[in-house]
Amino acid sequence: MQLLSILALFSTAVVGLSHPAALVRAPSKVCTVPAAGSESIDDTPAVLRAFDECGHGGKIVFQNTTYHINSVMNTTGLENCEIDLRGTLLWSTNISYWLSHSLPVGYQNQSTAWVIGGKNVHFNGHGYGTLNGNGQAWYSATGSVSNYPRRPHAMTVAETSNSKFYGLRFLQSQMWTLSIIHSKNTVFDSIYVNSTNHGGSSRNTDGADTIYSSHITFRNWEVDNGDDSISLKANSTDILIEDCLFHRGLGLAMGSIGQYKDVYETIERVTARNITFSGTLHAVYFKTWTGEQVNYPPNGGGGGLGHASDMTFKDLQATALRGPAFAISQCTTFSGTAGNCTSSKFQLRDLSFRNINGTTTSHNVASFQCSAVEPCENIQITDVNLTLQSDGTEADAYLCGHVEGTRGFNCTGAVCVGGSATGGC
Ligand SMILES: *[C@@H]1O[C@H](CO)[C@@H](O)[C@H](O)[C@H]1NC(C)=O
Ligand SMILES: *[C@@H]1O[C@H](CO)[C@@H](O)[C@H](O)[C@H]1NC(C)=O
Ligand SMILES: *[C@@H]1O[C@H](CO)[C@@H](O)[C@H](O)[C@H]1NC(C)=O
Ligand SMILES: *[C@@H]1O[C@H](CO)[C@@H](O)[C@H](O)[C@H]1NC(C)=O
Ligand SMILES: *[C@@H]1O[C@H](CO)[C@@H](O)[C@H](O)[C@H]1NC(C)=O
Ligand SMILES: *[C@@H]1O[C@H](CO)[C@@H](O)[C@H](O)[C@H]1NC(C)=O
Ligand SMILES: *[C@@H]1O[C@H](CO)[C@@H](O)[C@H](O)[C@H]1NC(C)=O
Ligand SMILES: *[C@@H]1O[C@H](CO)[C@@H](O)[C@H](O)[C@H]1NC(C)=O
Ligand SMILES: *[C@@H]1O[C@H](CO)[C@@H](O)[C@H](O)[C@H]1NC(C)=O
Ligand SMILES: *[C@@H]1O[C@H](CO)[C@@H](O)[C@H](O)[C@H]1NC(C)=O
Ligand SMILES: *[C@@H]1O[C@H](CO)[C@@H](O)[C@H](O)[C@H]1NC(C)=O
C-alpha cells in the first residue's frame, strides 16, 4: 500500500517534468553587442543597451570576442528573447566594487553579479560561449571564509519561465555559478562548469542552486568544482537531473535547508538518473540546519520546518568517492558552535537510491544521521556494487541514526554523530 503510493508519486514526478520550453518567434530585431576590447573600458553599458533594445521579441548577439564586464547587470523581465553568446564575458576583479554593488538574490542574503530572467528566453552558447568569473581573485581573497557576505554569484536566473539555457561554459565562477530562483518550466542543457582554485580549495563554488523553483531540468552538465555539484534548496519541486558528470566537488546536495526559524520549506519530487561521480565526496547528500536558531543567514540560522520527500536517484556510476555514497546530516549550524544533530524539525522521507556501481574509499555506503524529533522515514537502497579502492572488497556498511523503515538494506551500525555538515564526523 505504502509502496504503491510511493511508486505512483515517483512516476508523477517524471511525467510532470517534461515541459519543453516554447519556441521563440523569429526575432523582430537583432542587437549585436560591440566590444571595446580593453579591460579598462567597461562593456556593461553596451550590453545593457542591447538588452533594452532587443529584450522583447529580439535577439542579442555577443560576437566571438572578449567583453569586459566591470559592473553589475540586471536584465530581468525579458520576453521572447534570444541570446546568442559566441564569445567570452570576462568579469573584473575589483573586489571592493563587487562587495559594495552586488545585487541581492532574495535568499540567504546571497548576492549576484548578473540577474537575468523573463518568459521564453533562449540563451545559447553553442558549446563554446563562455562566462568567465575570474574567480581566482575571489578564491584568494576570501580564503577559508564560507559564504563571504556580498561575494557575488556568477549568474542568477530569476522570475523565469518557459526558457532554455544551453551550450554555455562557466569558468572560474566568483562564488556559486548559477542560482535559479522563483523560476519554472526551464531547461539548463549542456552546461560546462569549471571552478578550480590553483593551489587551494574553491569553496562555495556550487555548480547550480535552485530556490523557490519548480519543473527545472538539468541535462548533460559537467561540473568540476570545490563544493556542491548541483544543490536543491528551499521549495525546489519537480526537478530532473540527468546525464551528468561531476568531478571533485561534494556531489548532489539536497539543502542546506531549514535555515529560517519556524518557516516551512520543502524539496519534493526529484529524479536524478544516469549521473557519473568522479572523486566527489558523496554521490548524494542531504543537509539540514539544527532545530535551534543561532545567528542569521548566510552563515547562521536554523530552527526551520518542512520536509524533503519523493526522490529517486538511480543509475549512478562512481569513481573514487571520498566518503559515503549516500549521506544525511542534520547538523548544520552557525560556524564555530557545536550543534545538536538530533533536534531538527525538518523531515526526510520516501527516498530511493537504486543502482550504483564503481569505486570508493569509504566502507560506508550510507551514513544517515537523522533527527530524533522528526526521524527519517522510508528509505530504499538497492543494487549497490561499490568496491573499495584499497583492497577491492565491497563497501558494505550502512550507518543509521533515527531511520525508520529501510527497504533493500539493513542498518549495520550506529552513525557517527558529529558536527560535519556533509555527513559523518
Ligand atoms: C573565435 O575566434 C578565434 C580567433 O580569434 C578562433 O580561433 C576561433 O575558432 C573562433 N571560434 C569560433 C567558434 O568561431
Ligand atoms: C574599484 O571600484 C571602486 C568603486 O567601488 C573604485 O573607486 C576604484 O577606483 C576601482 N578600482 C579600480 C582599480 O578600478
Ligand atoms: C532588477 O530590475 C527590476 C526592474 O527594474 C527590479 O524590479 C528588480 O528589483 C531588480 N533586481 C535586482 C536584484 O536589483
Ligand atoms: C540577513 O538578512 C536578515 C534579514 O532578512 C538580517 O536580519 C540578517 O542580519 C542578515 N544577515 C547578515 C549576515 O547580513
Ligand atoms: C578544470 O580546469 C582544470 C584547470 O584548468 C583542469 O585541470 C581540469 O581538467 C578541468 N576539468 C574538466 C572536467 O575539464
Ligand atoms: C548518460 O550520460 C552521459 C553523459 O554523462 C551520456 O553521454 C549518455 O548518453 C547517457 N546515457 C544514457 C543511457 O542516456
Ligand atoms: C514554500 O513551500 C511551502 C510548502 O508548500 C509553502 O507553505 C511556502 O509558502 C513556500 N514558500 C515560498 C516563499 O514560496
Ligand atoms: C538535542 O536535541 C534532542 C531532541 O530535541 C534533545 O532530546 C536533547 O536533549 C538535545 N541535546 C542537548 C545536548 O541539548
Ligand atoms: C557501472 O555500470 C555501467 C552500466 O552497466 C557501466 O557502463 C560502467 O562501466 C560501470 N562502472 C563501473 C565503474 O564499474
Ligand atoms: C561489481 O563491480 C565489479 C567491478 O567494479 C565487478 O568485477 C563485479 O563483478 C561486480 N559485481 C556484481 C555483483 O555486479
Ligand atoms: C535485513 O534483516 C532481516 C532480518 O534479519 C532479513 O530478513 C533481511 O533479509 C535483511 N535484508 C537485507 C536486504 O539484507
Side-chain angles (χ1 to χ4, degrees):
M1 182 64 184
Q2 195 186 17
L3 177 62
L4 278 177
S5 69
I6 288 154
L7 289 174
L9 278 166
F10 286 156
S11 56
T12 314
V14 176
V15 171
L17 289 163
S18 46
H19 280 256
L23 284 176
V24 173
R25 276 180 258 116
S28 56
K29 195 171 180 190
V30 177
C31 295
T32 300
V33 186
S38 160
E39 69 177 299
S40 60
I41 304 175
D42 189 2
D43 287 316
T44 305
V47 174
L48 296 179
R49 218 160 23 242
F51 276 91
D52 269 350
E53 286 176 25
C54 288
H56 289 81
K59 177 172 179 173
I60 293 140
V61 179
F62 292 92
Q63 294 163 292
N64 178 10
T65 186
T66 298
Y67 294 85
H68 294 275
I69 307 297
N70 302 352
S71 312
V72 293
M73 299 196 290
N74 177 349
T75 57
T76 49
L78 305 171
E79 261 184 71
N80 301 317
C81 172
E82 264 181 75
I83 302 155
D84 197 1
L85 178 60
R86 294 177 180 273
T88 294
L89 304 185
L90 180 64
W91 271 263
S92 70
T93 56
N94 183 340
I95 305 270
S96 66
Y97 167 80
W98 292 105
L99 291 179
S100 53
H101 292 83
S102 59
L103 302 170
V105 166
Y107 193 72
Q108 278 189 335
N109 291 8
Q110 298 275 5
S111 37
T112 190
W114 185 9
V115 56
I116 181 170
K119 296 180 182 133
N120 286 327
V121 177
H122 278 207
F123 194 149
N124 190 355
H126 309 276
Y128 55 85
T130 300
L131 295 93
N132 185 332
N134 242 326
Q136 188 61 47
W138 289 97
Y139 314 151
S140 305
T142 58
S144 59
V145 180
S146 180
N147 291 322
Y148 196 95
R150 305 212 59 183
R151 176 179 168 190
H153 301 174
M155 182 195 249
T156 297
V157 170
E159 311 283 350
T160 294
S161 58
N162 302 325
S163 294
K164 188 167 177 181
F165 292 73
Y166 47 121
L168 296 168
R169 292 170 62 83
F170 289 91
L171 301 182
Q172 304 294 101
S173 299
Q174 301 91 317
M175 191 180 161
W176 294 1
T177 296
L178 181 66
S179 38
I180 301 162
I181 186 161
H182 295 301
S183 293
K184 60 187 181 188
N185 299 332
T186 293
V187 177
F188 297 87
D189 196 343
S190 304
I191 309 277
Y192 174 85
V193 177
N194 192 336
S195 294
T196 41
N197 181 355
H198 304 290
S201 88
S202 45
R203 198 170 183 188
N204 300 135
T205 55
D206 297 13
D209 290 81
T210 59
I211 304 145
Y212 305 142
S213 292
S214 65
H215 299 279
I216 303 295
T217 295
F218 296 96
R219 180 179 298 120
N220 193 27
W221 278 56
E222 181 167 13
V223 179
D224 189 346
N225 69 347
D227 214 299
D228 298 337
S229 309
I230 290 179
S231 163
L232 310 185
K233 292 186 160 65
N235 289 13
S236 294
T237 55
D238 299 288
I239 312 287
L240 173 63
I241 304 169
E242 63 182 4
D243 306 338
C244 296
L245 182 49
F246 299 136
H247 307 266
R248 289 195 265 200
L250 304 180
L252 276 176
M254 303 297 128
S256 71
I257 192 163
Q259 195 169 1
Y260 289 89
K261 188 174 166 59
D262 297 332
V263 174
Y264 202 99
E265 298 173 334
T266 74
I267 309 173
E268 297 180 273
R269 298 177 299 279
V270 173
T271 300
R273 58 191 177 205
N274 184 30
I275 315 286
T276 299
F277 300 91
S278 169
T280 55
L281 181 60
H282 305 294
V284 184
Y285 80 109
F286 291 70
K287 52 177 165 179
T288 81
W289 289 71
T290 67
E292 299 78 31
Q293 188 204 327
V294 185
N295 223 303
Y296 296 95
N299 288 317
L305 312 171
H307 63 267
S309 65
D310 304 315
M311 304 190 184
T312 300
F313 305 93
K314 63 179 182 182
D315 305 332
L316 313 175
Q317 276 132 63
T319 310
L321 288 179
R322 292 179 282 122
F326 310 121
I328 294 172
S329 165
Q330 302 208 250
C331 291
T332 304
T333 188
F334 186 64
S335 48
T337 61
N340 183 336
C341 292
T342 58
S343 64
S344 174
K345 289 169 251 178
F346 190 97
Q347 190 189 36
L348 311 176
R349 60 176 188 247
D350 305 333
L351 313 175
S352 172
F353 304 92
R354 304 203 285 258
N355 185 23
I356 182 167
N357 70 359
T359 59
T360 181
T361 59
S362 172
H363 288 272
N364 304 326
V365 173
S367 168
F368 295 149
Q369 174 275 299
C370 297
S371 168
V373 177
E374 290 287 347
C376 295
E377 277 176 22
N378 187 25
I379 302 185
Q380 178 189 48
I381 304 178
T382 62
D383 303 309
V384 173
N385 181 12
L386 286 173
T387 306
L388 278 162
Q389 273 191 315
S390 51
D391 59 10
T393 59
E394 235 182 278
D396 57 3
Y398 295 80
L399 308 182
C400 303
H402 305 290
V403 177
E404 295 177 359
T406 64
R407 290 186 290 131
F409 74 105
N410 288 319
C411 298
T412 59
V415 75
C416 176
V417 179
S420 165
T422 50
C425 288

